[in-house]
Amino acid sequence: MPSLRYSDITPKADYLNRRRFIAAAAAAGGGAVAAGLPFSPATAAIDAIKSPYSTSEELTPLDAITTYNNYYEFGTDKRDPSRYAGRLTTRPWSVVIDGLVNNPGTYDFEDILAGATLEERIYRLRCVEAWSMVVPWIGFELASLLARADPMPDARYVAFETLVRPEEMPGQSSRLLEWPYREGLRLDEAMHPLTILATGLYGEELPNQNGAPLRLVVPWKYGFKSIKAIVRMTLTVAEPPTTWNMQAPREYGFYSNVNPEVSHPRWSQATERPVGAGFFARRKPTLMFNGYGEEVASLYVGMDLSRNY
């Protein structure tokens, strides 16, 4: 999957203009701060390394990525996150890493970023609801943060939890799901170079409705595996409980790898609808592992993917 330049692919002209403006300001010695723009480590990700893991497919427009979201902490309508997520306070932020690690503790978000190599990762995103996007994330490999925590030899899984703050996340006042939202990966999946923690998209700081300040992105799995607003990672020897598997185990397995050959009990997974492509856009075939089979199929050798779904 070749690396791309923003100028080759981005349909957002003012985004390009902003990049040029910041570059000019920096050359003049002022940078983003002198230009009157808010500065944070995530905003600085605009100059992140371009990753060879990026896809060359056309990007989903920014307005679609930021207004069509499943984020039930803010409500069940696709637009609820963009309506209500602005009230979420994302600074200060920290992540507890505990369980089977030699360096447990509370990791401050700024310290996490200071030790990270930020990259642009243009990934396909496939929702279990059979729609898809192509998102230009900014982030870093989860493996680098887990290495700092130093997993013990017995660690086999990583469990993740989302923030619980119902006064700022109104959907948590409902009983739709058991809060906090939980997800999990096998440790080898978590350490895979495709697995990232995203801090931005489209060269900007990650919007609240997309999981700010820190969300998981696992591009070969259905989107609900990519947990948002992470506040805890726990390394365990046993497979951890995950929210949608607890809610409906017949419909949502622990692995949730994209597999067009295994239908959801209520719909086919053979095709997908590209979000933001226009009303008359045709559905397109869904690819095994969302098109990342060359990189990740070896993780599942010997497994029955129709049973370990």
Side-chain angles (χ1 to χ4, degrees):
M1 291 178 288
S3 177
L4 298 177
R5 296 170 299 166
Y6 276 122
S7 58
D8 293 331
I9 56 177
T10 301
K12 186 169 175 276
D14 57 343
Y15 168 69
L16 293 174
N17 290 336
R18 185 180 186 279
R19 282 180 61 87
R20 296 188 187 103
F21 176 74
I22 291 175
V33 176
L37 299 170
F39 179 83
S40 74
T43 304
I46 197 166
D47 292 318
I49 296 168
K50 308 299 188 285
S51 171
Y53 289 112
S54 292
T55 179
S56 58
E57 295 177 50
E58 183 177 356
L59 294 183
T60 301
L62 178 63
D63 61 346
I65 294 172
T66 56
T67 61
Y68 194 88
N69 308 106
N70 286 327
Y71 199 169
Y72 293 136
E73 284 83 350
F74 296 102
T76 57
D77 187 273
K78 292 289 191 291
R79 292 188 178 272
D80 281 346
S82 60
R83 292 177 180 131
Y84 304 123
R87 69 182 67 176
L88 178 64
T89 303
T90 61
R91 299 291 193 282
W93 195 272
S94 60
V95 178
V96 173
I97 304 180
D98 59 7
L100 299 177
V101 293
N102 290 309
N103 298 319
T106 300
Y107 289 69
D108 182 78
F109 180 65
E110 276 65 35
D111 289 341
I112 290 172
L113 285 188
T117 299
L118 294 169
E119 296 184 19
E120 172 196 78
R121 295 284 184 101
I122 303 171
Y123 280 167
R124 290 180 287 272
L125 171 67
R126 173 60 155 80
C127 181
V128 73
E129 296 172 344
W131 53 263
S132 63
M133 294 181 178
V134 178
V135 183
W137 303 105
I138 298 294
F140 59 95
E141 293 183 9
L142 171 59
S144 66
L145 179 56
L146 294 179
R148 292 171 63 182
D150 192 15
M152 295 180 181
D154 289 343
R156 295 290 181 269
Y157 295 88
V158 186
F160 303 87
E161 290 185 10
T162 288
L163 176 74
V164 177
R165 195 180 289 163
E167 65 274 19
E168 296 183 6
M169 305 172 96
Q172 290 179 336
S173 298
S174 77
R175 296 184 178 181
L176 173 67
L177 297 173
E178 179 182 320
W179 313 109
Y181 191 92
R182 299 173 175 90
E183 259 307 334
L185 296 174
R186 244 176 27 200
L187 184 57
D188 58 347
E189 296 175 320
M191 299 295 285
H192 193 280
L194 281 179
T195 303
I196 65 169
L197 292 172
T199 63
L201 62 82
Y202 262 108
E204 303 286 348
E205 189 168 349
L206 193 65
N208 283 8
Q209 60 264 39
N210 294 99
L214 195 67
R215 71 166 286 168
L216 182 69
V217 180
V218 193
W220 70 93
K221 295 179 180 288
Y222 292 119
F224 68 88
K225 293 290 290 185
S226 294
I227 186 172
K228 306 175 181 74
I230 297 169
V231 295
R232 183 180 293 273
M233 303 180 194
T234 303
L235 278 76
T236 70
V237 69
E239 181 181 293
T242 60
T243 290
W244 282 106
N245 183 244
M246 292 188 295
Q247 181 81 2
R250 192 176 74 88
E251 299 187 9
Y252 307 103
F254 173 81
Y255 285 95
S256 298
N257 291 321
V258 175
N259 189 344
E261 298 176 3
V262 176
S263 295
H264 185 280
R266 290 178 280 139
W267 56 80
S268 169
Q269 297 286 19
T271 64
E272 61 200 58
R273 174 179 61 86
V275 172
F279 183 79
F280 296 104
R282 293 184 178 180
R283 298 181 69 87
K284 64 179 185 179
T286 290
L287 302 175
M288 185 66 192
F289 295 116
N290 203 25
Y292 297 96
E294 183 176 344
E295 291 82 9
V296 303
S298 61
L299 296 175
Y300 310 103
V301 171
M303 292 179 60
D304 183 348
L305 297 181
S306 66
R307 293 175 59 87
N308 298 112
Y309 57 89

